């Protein structure tokens, strides 16, 4: 048997191919073995953000403690799926789910609801969750995150200080969906649907404004009946007079008048 020429092209190519195959097999095995842990971590992150949006501390309040029901609804607000696994699968590919007309929704035990948000910032995707009070209009809390917004500028949408501005704001004005407007130069005093933009992060803030409006538009069929203002003014029905009112003259005798004067 002749000695293998390790310097030959054939040996180098064969060695390289074998090593690539071995590495590929090892990576595939590692990916398959780690996938359950990766899925569990992704699920836990989503559940943690939902809990935080409701204003709860994830360290003391678990997802199961605060959420009563997870479902997927259609544009009219009808429930079409209730399997929690299906809900979180839809949440993991939210843009595709929205395009298919499937909208994940989380109902809390205290009557609040949590709606997922998805949009685009300056450099990539942005996303989050908004929790609404029982009136389906007033914001109870917001959690937002991003993939690659500029640190110190657009990335500040994920800060507690920025997200605190949304609490108490309303997504409907006069019965119409406006979402939340992240306004450059500062929110108008007394505005119910504006928050201060981040200085230097205009494009990201515009993305947040669009994210709220576009994402919440999918839920109007569910939200608007509860959030629409109640019109208390009712038309007054006028009843026509069909009978004449006759006034009879009463004759008073002079005697009675004299008696009353005595």
């Amino acid at each position: 048997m002749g000695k293998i020429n390790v310097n030959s092209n054939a040996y180098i190519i064969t060695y390289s191919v074998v090593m690539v195959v071995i590495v590929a097999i090892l990576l595939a095995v590692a990916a398959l073995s780690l996938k359950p842990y990766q899925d569990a971590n992704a699920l836990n992150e989503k559940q943690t953000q939902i809990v935080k949006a409701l204003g709860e501390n994830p360290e003391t309040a678990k997802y199961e403690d605060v959420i009563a029901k997870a479902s997927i609804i259609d544009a009219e607000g009808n429930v079409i799926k209730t399997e929690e696994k299906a809900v979180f699968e839809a949440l993991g590919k939210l843009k595709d789910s929205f395009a298919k007309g499937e909208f994940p929704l989380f109902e809390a035990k205290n009557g609040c609801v949590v709606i997922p948000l998805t949009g685009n910032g300056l450099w990539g995707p942005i996303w989050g969750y908004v929790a609404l009070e029982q009136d389906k209009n007033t914001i109870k809390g917001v959690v937002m995150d991003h993939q690659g917004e500029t640190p110190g500028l657009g990335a500040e949408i994920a800060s507690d200080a920025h997200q605190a501005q949304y609490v108490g704001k309303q997504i409907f004005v006069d019965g119409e969906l406006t979402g939340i407007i992240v306004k450059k130069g500062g929110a108008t005093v007394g505005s119910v649907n504006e928050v201060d933009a981040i200085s230097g992060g205009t494009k990201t803030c515009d993305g947040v404004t669009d994210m709220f409006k576009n994402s919440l538009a999918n839920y109007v069929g569910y939200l608007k009946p509860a959030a629409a203002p109640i019109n208390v003014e009712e038309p007054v029905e006028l009843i026509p007079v069909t009978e004449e009112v006759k006034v009879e003259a009463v004759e008073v005798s002079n005697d009675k008048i004299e008696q009353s004067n005595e």
Side-chain angles (χ1 to χ4, degrees), residues 247-257:
V247 180
E248 296 181 355
V250 178
E251 295 182 356
V252 181
S253 64
N254 292 331
D255 294 339
K256 290 183 178 180
I257 294 176

Side-chain angles (χ1 to χ4, degrees), residues 28-118:
V29 171
L32 289 173
S33 61
L34 293 175
K35 190 175 187 306
Y37 299 100
Q38 293 171 340
D39 292 344
N41 287 337
L43 175 62
N44 181 67
E45 181 181 4
K46 290 180 177 64
Q47 292 180 340
T48 297
Q49 290 178 329
I50 291 169
V51 171
K52 288 180 66 176
L54 287 164
E56 302 286 348
N57 183 351
E59 294 182 1
T60 57
K62 303 302 181 184
Y63 170 84
E64 296 79 8
D65 298 333
V66 298
I67 297 298
K69 179 183 177 183
S71 59
I72 296 177
I73 63 174
D74 61 18
E76 285 71 43
N78 302 310
V79 176
I80 56 178
K81 293 182 183 179
T82 56
E83 299 84 4
E84 193 165 271
K85 182 179 179 181
V87 177
F88 278 98
E89 286 177 351
L91 202 60
K93 45 186 179 180
L94 191 56
K95 288 186 178 180
D96 292 339
S97 299
F98 281 178
K100 291 191 299 183
E102 297 183 351
F103 313 119
L105 178 72
F106 299 88
E107 299 176 52
K109 294 180 179 180
N110 61 5
C112 298
V113 296
V114 180
I115 293 174
L117 309 169
T118 183

Side-chain angles (χ1 to χ4, degrees), residues 140-206:
K140 181 175 179 61
V142 166
V143 171
M144 289 186 289
D145 211 339
H146 62 93
Q147 179 174 293
E149 298 307 288
T150 307
L153 299 175
E156 289 300 300
I157 63 170
S159 68
D160 292 341
H162 178 73
Q163 293 172 11
Q165 295 184 74
Y166 295 76
V167 178
K169 297 295 182 178
Q170 297 180 354
I171 61 172
F172 286 91
V173 175
D174 296 330
E176 295 298 322
L177 177 69
T178 60
I180 297 298
I181 300 169
V182 187
K183 188 175 181 182
K184 183 179 180 179
T188 305
V189 177
S191 172
V192 298
N193 66 336
E194 295 178 359
V195 299
D196 297 341
I198 300 165
S199 179
T202 301
K203 292 296 183 181
T204 304
C205 292
D206 289 345

